[in-house]
């Protein structure tokens, strides 16, 4: 299932959401393409859980922010930005531009915190905006549970576009993260698995919890 559209606020320009998308694209453009250089780049700007746990300065913590703008490949970038494009504008609409930007960074930090807590000895750099975007999804689910989300649905050779309430689309998404987080944690794939499932979980929960603290007043009916 791939979300392709939702019910967005009309006549509202989500400036910060566009800015975050643009920053991710620019950052990806300047990433090295050669494998060894890319590994060095990830180590420099990605978040390494073990370095956080053994930190003696603030430097490793700056990577909580920089890691949100680094992606493994084009598919990784495109998948994340698709979700941000679809769901971010609604959350920016209810928070306002400035608060939305701060909210994005805070829930991204919450995502990183849970991933580090579950994998404190990992030396694999965490990269990607998915933790912060998961926070946007958590906020969206809480504030717009009945919005209709258009989903591109695949079943063998059958391809359909179906519209479902956000609480179903995002609820299923969250259950999928919980399942995979549990599975990777109790198997050999656990701490060093390729996807930071607990970052997704941490971000989603952070967004759902913190949206009430960041919201100034509802501007939707």
């Amino acid at each position: 299932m791939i979300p392709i559209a939702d019910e967005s606020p009309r006549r509202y320009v989500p400036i910060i959401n566009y800015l975050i998308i643009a920053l991710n694209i620019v950052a990806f453009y300047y990433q090295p393409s050669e494998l060894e250089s890319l590994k060095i780049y990830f180590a420099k700007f990605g978040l390494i859980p073990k370095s956080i746990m053994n930190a003696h300065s603030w430097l490793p913590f700056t990577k909580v922010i920089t890691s949100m703008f680094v992606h493994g490949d084009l598919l990784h970038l495109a998948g994340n930005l698709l979700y941000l494009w679809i769901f971010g504008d609604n959350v920016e609409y209810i928070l306002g531009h400035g608060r939305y930007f701060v909210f994005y960074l805070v829930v991204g930090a919450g995502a990183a915190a849970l991933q580090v807590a579950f994998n404190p000895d990992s030396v694999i750099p965490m990269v990607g905006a998915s933790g912060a975007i998961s926070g946007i999804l958590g906020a969206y689910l809480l504030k717009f549970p009945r919005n209709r989300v258009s989903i591109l649905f695949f079943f063998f050779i059958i391809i359909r576009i179906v519209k479902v309430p956000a609480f179903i689309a995002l609820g299923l998404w969250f259950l999928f993260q919980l399942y995979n987080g549990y599975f990777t944690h109790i198997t050999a794939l656990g701490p060093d698995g390729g996807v930071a499932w607990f970052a997704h979980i941490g971000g989603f929960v952070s967004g759902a919890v913190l949206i009430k603290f960041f919201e100034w007043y509802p501007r939707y009916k």
Side-chain angles (χ1 to χ4, degrees):
M1 295 190 301
I2 302 174
I4 57 173
D6 77 321
E7 298 177 39
S8 299
R10 296 180 179 179
R11 295 184 297 276
Y12 180 77
V13 181
I15 298 171
I16 300 301
N17 206 51
Y18 291 160
L19 174 63
I20 293 171
I21 290 172
L23 287 174
N24 276 280
I25 293 173
V26 170
F28 183 78
Y29 178 80
Y30 283 104
Q31 284 184 197
S33 57
E34 196 272 326
L35 182 59
E36 290 304 316
S37 298
L38 189 60
K39 289 180 179 179
I40 296 172
Y41 185 84
F42 285 165
K44 183 177 181 179
F45 295 106
L47 175 62
I48 301 174
K50 192 169 185 176
S51 70
I52 292 290
M53 300 304 294
N54 299 329
H56 299 291
S57 70
W58 283 101
L59 182 60
F61 292 93
T62 63
K63 297 183 179 182
V64 172
I65 303 299
T66 59
S67 65
M68 297 181 197
F69 298 92
V70 178
H71 288 83
D73 53 36
L74 184 59
L75 185 61
H76 186 201
L77 174 72
N80 279 343
L81 296 189
L82 173 64
Y83 275 79
L84 186 59
W85 174 272
I86 292 173
F87 299 105
D89 55 347
N90 292 62
V91 179
E92 183 174 346
Y93 175 67
I94 62 172
L95 292 182
H97 304 307
R99 293 192 186 196
Y100 176 73
F101 185 69
V102 175
F103 179 80
Y104 181 87
L105 297 180
V106 169
V107 296
L114 190 65
Q115 185 67 30
V116 170
F118 272 89
N119 299 320
D121 296 322
S122 176
V123 294
I124 296 180
M126 294 166 48
V127 298
S130 57
I133 295 170
S134 297
I136 300 301
L137 302 186
Y140 189 104
L141 177 62
L142 198 71
K143 302 306 299 183
F144 303 96
R146 298 190 180 280
N147 266 22
R148 309 291 287 183
V149 178
S150 297
I151 301 291
L152 189 60
F153 181 78
F154 297 89
F155 185 74
F156 294 103
I157 62 172
I158 301 174
I159 302 176
R160 293 285 187 273
I161 295 177
V162 296
K163 290 187 176 182
V164 298
F167 74 86
I168 293 179
L170 298 182
L172 289 174
W173 179 90
F174 184 60
L175 289 176
F176 182 74
Q177 312 310 306
L178 288 173
Y179 171 80
N180 282 285
Y182 173 77
F183 176 75
T184 57
H185 192 63
I186 64 172
T187 66
L189 297 176
D192 294 328
V195 179
W197 299 109
F198 289 103
H200 298 174
I201 296 167
F204 191 92
V205 173
S206 296
V209 171
L210 294 176
I211 185 63
K212 282 292 186 180
F213 293 94
F214 275 81
E215 185 181 16
W216 52 318
Y217 65 88
R219 291 187 287 182
Y220 59 90
K221 300 296 183 180

